[in-house]
Coordinates of all heavy atoms in Angstrom, one line a residue:
Chain B
S500 N 26.3 -4.5 -12.2 CA 27.0 -3.2 -12.6 C 27.4 -3.3 -14.0 O 27.3 -2.3 -14.7 CB 28.1 -2.9 -11.6 OG 29.0 -4.0 -11.7
R501 N 27.7 -4.5 -14.4 CA 28.3 -4.6 -15.7 C 27.2 -4.8 -16.8 O 27.4 -4.4 -17.9 CB 29.2 -5.9 -15.7 CG 29.9 -6.1 -17.0 CD 30.7 -7.4 -16.9 NE 29.8 -8.5 -16.5 CZ 30.3 -9.7 -16.1 NH1 31.6 -9.9 -16.0 NH2 29.5 -10.7 -15.9
D502 N 26.1 -5.2 -16.3 CA 25.0 -5.6 -17.2 C 24.6 -4.7 -18.3 O 24.7 -5.0 -19.5 CB 23.8 -6.0 -16.4 CG 23.4 -7.4 -16.7 OD1 23.8 -7.9 -17.7 OD2 22.6 -8.0 -15.9
P503 N 24.3 -3.4 -18.0 CA 23.7 -2.5 -19.0 C 24.7 -2.4 -20.2 O 24.2 -2.2 -21.3 CB 23.6 -1.2 -18.2 CG 23.5 -1.6 -16.8 CD 24.3 -2.8 -16.6
K504 N 26.0 -2.5 -19.9 CA 26.9 -2.3 -21.0 C 27.1 -3.6 -21.8 O 27.4 -3.5 -23.0 CB 28.3 -1.8 -20.4 CG 28.2 -0.4 -19.9 CD 29.3 -0.2 -18.9 CE 28.7 0.1 -17.5 NZ 29.7 -0.1 -16.5
D505 N 26.9 -4.6 -21.1 CA 27.2 -5.9 -21.7 C 26.2 -6.2 -22.8 O 25.0 -6.3 -22.6 CB 27.1 -7.0 -20.7 CG 27.9 -8.2 -21.1 OD1 28.6 -8.1 -22.2 OD2 28.0 -9.2 -20.3
A506 N 26.6 -6.3 -24.0 CA 25.7 -6.3 -25.2 C 25.0 -7.7 -25.2 O 23.8 -7.8 -25.3 CB 26.5 -6.1 -26.5
S507 N 25.8 -8.7 -25.0 CA 25.3 -10.1 -25.1 C 24.4 -10.4 -23.8 O 23.3 -10.9 -23.9 CB 26.4 -11.1 -25.2 OG 27.1 -11.2 -24.0
G508 N 25.0 -10.0 -22.7 CA 24.2 -10.2 -21.5 C 24.0 -11.6 -21.0 O 23.4 -11.8 -20.0
D509 N 24.5 -12.6 -21.7 CA 24.2 -13.9 -21.2 C 25.5 -14.6 -20.7 O 25.4 -15.7 -20.2 CB 23.6 -14.7 -22.4 CG 24.5 -14.8 -23.6 OD1 25.7 -14.2 -23.5 OD2 24.2 -15.5 -24.6
G510 N 26.6 -13.9 -20.9 CA 27.8 -14.6 -20.4 C 27.7 -14.8 -18.9 O 28.1 -16.0 -18.5
E511 N 27.2 -13.9 -18.2 CA 27.2 -14.1 -16.7 C 26.1 -15.1 -16.3 O 26.2 -15.7 -15.3 CB 27.0 -12.7 -16.1 CG 25.7 -12.5 -15.4 CD 24.6 -12.0 -16.3 OE1 25.0 -11.8 -17.6 OE2 23.5 -11.8 -15.9
L512 N 25.1 -15.3 -17.2 CA 24.1 -16.2 -16.8 C 24.6 -17.6 -16.8 O 24.3 -18.4 -16.0 CB 22.9 -16.0 -17.8 CG 22.1 -14.8 -17.7 CD1 21.1 -14.7 -18.8 CD2 21.3 -14.8 -16.4
D513 N 25.4 -17.9 -17.8 CA 25.9 -19.3 -17.9 C 26.8 -19.6 -16.7 O 26.8 -20.7 -16.1 CB 26.7 -19.4 -19.2 CG 25.8 -19.6 -20.3 OD1 24.6 -19.6 -20.1 OD2 26.3 -19.8 -21.4
L514 N 27.6 -18.7 -16.4 CA 28.7 -19.0 -15.4 C 28.1 -19.2 -14.0 O 28.6 -19.9 -13.2 CB 29.6 -17.8 -15.3 CG 30.6 -17.7 -16.5 CD1 31.3 -16.3 -16.4 CD2 31.6 -18.8 -16.5
S515 N 27.0 -18.6 -13.7 CA 26.5 -18.5 -12.3 C 25.6 -19.7 -11.9 O 24.5 -19.4 -11.4 CB 25.9 -17.2 -12.0 OG 25.0 -17.0 -13.0
G516 N 26.0 -20.9 -12.2 CA 25.3 -22.0 -11.7 C 23.9 -22.3 -12.3 O 23.0 -22.8 -11.7
I517 N 23.7 -21.8 -13.5 CA 22.4 -22.2 -14.1 C 22.6 -23.5 -14.9 O 23.5 -23.6 -15.8 CB 22.0 -21.0 -15.1 CG1 21.5 -19.8 -14.2 CG2 20.8 -21.5 -15.9 CD1 21.2 -18.6 -15.0
D518 N 21.8 -24.4 -14.7 CA 21.9 -25.7 -15.3 C 21.2 -25.6 -16.6 O 19.9 -25.7 -16.7 CB 21.3 -26.7 -14.3 CG 21.5 -28.1 -14.9 OD1 22.2 -28.2 -15.9 OD2 21.0 -29.1 -14.2
D519 N 21.9 -25.6 -17.7 CA 21.3 -25.5 -19.0 C 20.5 -26.7 -19.3 O 19.5 -26.6 -20.0 CB 22.4 -25.3 -20.1 CG 22.7 -23.8 -20.3 OD1 22.1 -23.0 -19.6 OD2 23.5 -23.5 -21.1
L520 N 21.0 -27.8 -18.9 CA 20.3 -29.0 -19.2 C 18.9 -29.0 -18.7 O 17.9 -29.4 -19.3 CB 21.1 -30.2 -18.6 CG 22.1 -30.9 -19.5 CD1 22.9 -31.9 -18.7 CD2 21.5 -31.4 -20.7
E521 N 18.8 -28.5 -17.4 CA 17.5 -28.4 -16.8 C 16.6 -27.5 -17.6 O 15.4 -27.7 -17.8 CB 17.6 -28.1 -15.4 CG 16.4 -28.5 -14.6 CD 16.4 -27.8 -13.2 OE1 17.5 -27.5 -12.7 OE2 15.3 -27.5 -12.8
I522 N 17.2 -26.4 -18.0 CA 16.4 -25.4 -18.7 C 15.9 -26.0 -20.0 O 14.8 -25.8 -20.4 CB 17.2 -24.1 -18.9 CG1 17.3 -23.3 -17.6 CG2 16.6 -23.2 -19.9 CD1 18.2 -22.2 -17.6
D523 N 16.8 -26.8 -20.6 CA 16.4 -27.4 -21.8 C 15.2 -28.2 -21.7 O 14.4 -28.4 -22.6 CB 17.6 -28.2 -22.4 CG 18.6 -27.4 -23.1 OD1 18.2 -26.3 -23.5 OD2 19.7 -27.8 -23.2
R524 N 15.1 -28.8 -20.5 CA 13.9 -29.6 -20.3 C 12.6 -28.8 -20.2 O 11.5 -29.3 -20.4 CB 14.1 -30.4 -18.9 CG 14.2 -31.9 -19.2 CD 14.5 -32.6 -17.9 NE 16.0 -32.7 -17.8 CZ 16.7 -32.7 -16.6 NH1 16.0 -32.5 -15.5 NH2 18.0 -32.8 -16.6
Y525 N 12.8 -27.5 -19.9 CA 11.6 -26.7 -19.9 C 11.1 -26.4 -21.3 O 10.0 -25.9 -21.5 CB 11.9 -25.3 -19.2 CG 11.9 -25.4 -17.7 CD1 13.0 -24.8 -17.0 CD2 10.9 -26.1 -17.0 CE1 13.0 -24.9 -15.7 CE2 10.9 -26.2 -15.7 CZ 12.0 -25.6 -15.0 OH 12.1 -25.7 -13.6
I526 N 12.0 -26.6 -22.3 CA 11.7 -26.2 -23.6 C 11.3 -27.5 -24.4 O 12.1 -28.5 -24.4 CB 12.8 -25.5 -24.3 CG1 13.1 -24.2 -23.5 CG2 12.5 -25.2 -25.7 CD1 14.4 -23.6 -23.8
L527 N 10.2 -27.5 -25.1 CA 9.8 -28.6 -25.8 C 10.7 -28.9 -27.0 O 11.1 -27.9 -27.6 CB 8.3 -28.4 -26.3 CG 7.3 -28.2 -25.2 CD1 6.0 -27.9 -25.8 CD2 7.2 -29.5 -24.3
N528 N 10.8 -30.1 -27.4 CA 11.6 -30.4 -28.6 C 10.6 -30.2 -29.8 O 9.5 -30.0 -29.6 CB 12.2 -31.8 -28.5 CG 11.2 -32.9 -28.5 OD1 10.0 -32.7 -28.9 ND2 11.5 -34.0 -27.8
E529 N 11.2 -30.3 -30.9 CA 10.5 -29.9 -32.1 C 9.1 -30.6 -32.3 O 8.1 -30.0 -32.5 CB 11.3 -30.2 -33.4 CG 12.1 -28.9 -33.8 CD 12.9 -29.2 -35.0 OE1 12.3 -29.8 -36.0 OE2 14.1 -28.9 -35.0
A530 N 9.2 -31.9 -32.1 CA 8.0 -32.7 -32.3 C 6.9 -32.3 -31.3 O 5.7 -32.1 -31.6 CB 8.3 -34.2 -32.1
E531 N 7.4 -32.1 -30.0 CA 6.4 -31.7 -29.0 C 5.8 -30.3 -29.3 O 4.6 -30.1 -29.2 CB 7.1 -31.7 -27.6 CG 7.3 -33.1 -27.1 CD 8.3 -33.0 -25.8 OE1 9.0 -32.0 -25.7 OE2 8.2 -33.9 -25.0
A532 N 6.7 -29.5 -29.7 CA 6.3 -28.1 -30.0 C 5.2 -28.2 -31.2 O 4.3 -27.4 -31.1 CB 7.5 -27.3 -30.4
R533 N 5.5 -29.0 -32.1 CA 4.6 -29.1 -33.2 C 3.2 -29.6 -32.8 O 2.2 -29.0 -33.1 CB 5.1 -30.0 -34.3 CG 4.9 -29.6 -35.7 CD 5.4 -30.5 -36.8 NE 6.8 -30.8 -36.7 CZ 7.3 -32.0 -36.5 NH1 6.5 -33.1 -36.4 NH2 8.6 -32.2 -36.4
V534 N 3.2 -30.6 -32.0 CA 2.0 -31.1 -31.4 C 1.2 -30.0 -30.6 O 0.0 -29.8 -30.8 CB 2.3 -32.4 -30.5 CG1 1.0 -32.8 -29.8 CG2 2.8 -33.5 -31.3
K535 N 2.0 -29.4 -29.8 CA 1.4 -28.3 -29.0 C 0.8 -27.2 -29.9 O -0.3 -26.7 -29.6 CB 2.4 -27.8 -28.0 CG 1.7 -27.0 -26.9 CD 2.7 -26.5 -25.9 CE 2.0 -25.7 -24.8 NZ 2.9 -25.1 -23.8

Side-chain angles (χ1 to χ4, degrees):
Chain B
S500 56
R501 183 182 57 191
D502 235 342
K504 288 157 246 161
D505 206 359
S507 69
D509 59 358
E511 111 274 357
L512 285 173
D513 281 2
L514 287 170
S515 51
I517 290 173
D518 186 4
D519 269 4
L520 271 174
E521 201 194 327
I522 285 174
D523 279 339
R524 243 171 273 148
Y525 283 134
I526 297 163
L527 299 173
N528 61 30
E529 264 180 50
E531 283 169 337
R533 217 181 305 122
V534 172
K535 195 177 179 183

